[in-house]
Amino acid sequence: EKKLPSVLDSNSCLLEIGVHKGGSLQYWADKYHNSVIGGIDIDQRCKGIETTNNNIRVFTGSQNDKAFRTNY
């Protein structure tokens, strides 16, 4: 985390694979307001996390699915 503040201060993107309940996405979004925080999970219910913060984007799919990764 010591190196991340300067990297994520403005207009950056962070991608988390495996969102689960979204706690860490919310943490990053709260900490870095100007960044886009993305998440990938196979559980469609994780899309609901987007409603808690404008800079969170969740994509439903599998990291093992080459077509999903290509279209993402």
Side-chain angles (χ1 to χ4, degrees), residues 8-44:
L8 292 174
D9 275 342
S10 63
N11 302 325
S12 296
C13 296
L14 182 137
L15 177 65
E16 179 176 329
I17 299 173
V19 172
H20 190 53
K21 294 183 179 180
S24 56
L25 290 180
Q26 189 63 51
Y27 169 81
W28 293 117
D30 290 345
K31 192 161 184 71
Y32 301 104
H33 305 287
N34 296 322
S35 297
V36 175
I37 312 301
I40 295 174
D41 203 288
I42 58 173
D43 187 347
Q44 293 180 347

